[in-house]
């Protein structure tokens, strides 16, 4: 469910005053993650690498209150559910997007991931969920990337994670991930906690 809230009654009061009218309110953090366990878990569990990473992103975000807030059209809203947006290449050779609802259960999440991405590929449409705070993602597994910077205009305010191909060495597998967020929604402190949580969730696999 999506509910409008009074920014003055939240911890984001000052941030809302500073950044809601900013022409460039987005901030990008980049961190390189050790994804060796994620790669092994993908093979062991029979779940796509990107699906597992999307689940870990939602799991890491789910314990941070600020991820349930989002500024839109000069207002602040609170959500009670999370989802992740996935970009796929559809059957026409273009791209489509779909929202995957977050579930604590990996198998439930993966079933939704497989069903909804297949539907987006087939129908060549954008499949959106109402009432969810959506974390955007974009995976480019055929290209090694160091940093990705997305729109800074504040037109699309949802947090957004981008990654390319993981890098294998003799002892570990690493993956740089760019994470962009709206400064009204959260500060560097919360993002730092999220990135730490993400590595923890990857390691738990």
């Amino acid at each position: 469910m999506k509910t409008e809230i009074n920014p003055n009654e939240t911890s984001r009061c000052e941030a809302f005053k500073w950044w809601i009218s900013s022409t460039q309110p987005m901030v990008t953090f980049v961190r390189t993650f050790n994804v060796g366990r994620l790669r092994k878990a993908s093979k062991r569990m029979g779940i796509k690498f990107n699906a597992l990473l999307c689940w870990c992103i939602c799991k890491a975000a789910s314990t941070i209150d600020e991820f349930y807030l989002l500024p839109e059209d000069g207002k602040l809203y609170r959500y009670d559910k999370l989802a992740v947006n996935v970009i796929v290449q559809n059957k026409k050779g273009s791209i489509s997007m779909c929202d995957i609802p977050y579930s604590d259960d990996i198998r439930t999440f993966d079933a939704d991931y497989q069903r909804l991405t297949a539907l987006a590929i087939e129908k060549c449409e954008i499949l959106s969920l109402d009432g969810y705070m959506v974390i955007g993602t974009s995976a480019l597994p055929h290209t090694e990337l160091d940093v990705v910077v997305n729109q800074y205009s504040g037109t699309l305010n949802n947090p957004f994670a981008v990654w390319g191909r993981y890098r294998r060495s003799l002892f570990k597998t690493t993956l740089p991930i760019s994470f962009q967020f709206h400064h009204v929604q959260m500060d560097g402190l919360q993002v730092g906690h999220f990135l730490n949580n993400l590595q923890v969730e990857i390691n738990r696999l």
Side-chain angles (χ1 to χ4, degrees):
M1 188 172 71
K2 173 184 177 180
T3 306
E4 183 182 349
I5 59 175
N6 183 350
N8 294 328
E9 298 175 355
T10 73
S11 62
R12 306 309 300 160
C13 175
E14 293 302 316
F16 188 89
K17 294 176 184 177
W18 294 336
W19 297 103
I20 194 61
S21 298
S22 172
T23 56
Q24 293 185 325
M26 311 304 286
V27 183
T28 300
F29 279 27
V30 182
R31 175 167 170 174
T32 298
F33 292 85
N34 186 333
V35 294
R37 290 196 178 189
L38 184 61
R39 185 172 61 84
K40 292 177 181 177
S42 173
K43 293 180 179 179
R44 184 180 71 250
M45 300 171 71
I47 298 176
K48 291 180 179 179
F49 179 93
N50 286 337
L52 274 183
L53 182 51
C54 285
W55 182 84
C56 287
I57 287 171
C58 284
K59 179 71 171 176
S62 66
T63 60
I64 299 173
D65 291 341
E66 285 77 7
F67 268 91
Y68 294 88
L69 304 177
L70 193 66
E72 298 178 75
D73 300 322
K75 300 177 181 180
L76 190 62
Y77 294 88
R78 176 178 284 120
Y79 293 77
D80 58 4
K81 296 178 289 188
L82 294 179
V84 62
N85 179 267
V86 177
I87 299 173
V88 295
Q89 185 176 22
N90 62 40
K91 68 178 184 179
K92 293 181 179 179
S94 183
I95 62 171
S96 295
M97 295 182 289
C98 59
D99 295 341
I100 317 295
Y102 168 65
S103 169
D104 275 335
D105 182 77
I106 295 179
R107 294 294 181 183
T108 299
F109 178 86
D110 182 54
D112 286 334
Y113 184 100
Q114 292 186 57
R115 175 177 59 85
L116 292 169
T117 54
L119 189 61
I121 291 169
E122 179 64 26
K123 300 189 80 172
C124 304
E125 297 176 356
I126 296 175
L127 306 179
S128 300
L129 292 173
D130 292 329
Y132 285 77
M133 211 305 294
V134 179
I135 302 170
T137 70
S138 181
L140 301 166
H142 303 296
T143 306
E144 280 195 8
L145 300 172
D146 293 321
V147 179
V148 175
V149 176
N150 199 27
Q151 294 188 64
Y152 263 65
S153 63
T155 303
L156 300 174
N157 295 340
N158 296 63
F160 192 71
V162 188
W163 60 89
R165 183 171 59 209
Y166 57 69
R167 301 165 183 179
R168 297 180 61 181
S169 65
L170 185 60
F171 297 107
K172 62 181 179 180
T173 304
T174 59
L175 178 66
I177 297 178
S178 292
F179 180 74
Q180 180 178 285
F181 60 98
H182 196 293
H183 220 327
V184 166
Q185 183 183 23
M186 63 187 91
D187 297 315
L189 178 64
Q190 290 82 30
V191 176
H193 288 323
F194 162 69
L195 296 176
N196 289 338
N197 289 352
L198 179 53
Q199 184 64 73
V200 169
E201 296 303 330
I202 289 171
N203 291 345
R204 281 180 179 163
L205 290 173

